[in-house]
Amino acid sequence: MSKKRFIAGATCPECKESDTLRWWKEHHVEVIECVKCGHVDRRSPLSEEKDEHRPEEQDAQVIGIFKPQ
Ligand SMILES: [Zn+2]
């Protein structure tokens, strides 16, 4: 599984709590989740970045469903 990291100082757009947001990468998409209210936000990368050497990317590719073309 990918590592989930808390975003220091971030405020949830839903419940307005601070320091409740954490993010991780899922198949090259950043996922942000609020642990307080369960709000989830996904953002696709605008441009494909060559950062596939990072450990969390390798974890995502083991699943192998959404491989980039
Ligand atoms: Zn929230």
Side-chain angles (χ1 to χ4, degrees):
M1 297 299 289
S2 299
K3 289 180 182 174
K4 300 181 178 183
R5 308 168 196 170
F6 278 92
I7 307 172
T11 303
C12 175
E14 279 294 313
C15 65
K16 313 298 182 189
E17 289 285 334
S18 295
D19 298 326
T20 62
L21 294 177
R22 60 185 182 177
W23 76 275
W24 65 97
K25 275 194 168 184
E26 243 179 45
H27 312 298
H28 300 276
V29 177
E30 286 185 21
V31 183
I32 299 171
E33 176 192 66
C34 174
V35 298
K36 180 89 174 182
C37 69
H39 172 76
V40 174
D41 191 15
R42 286 181 171 82
R43 33 182 93 175
S44 301
L46 294 178
S47 60
E48 207 167 299
E49 295 184 28
K50 301 290 182 186
D51 58 354
E52 296 182 1
H53 297 292
R54 298 166 70 177
E56 58 264 36
E57 294 291 339
Q58 293 177 0
D59 289 345
Q61 295 210 355
V62 170
I63 302 170
I65 299 174
F66 296 105
K67 282 202 169 184
Q69 298 300 311

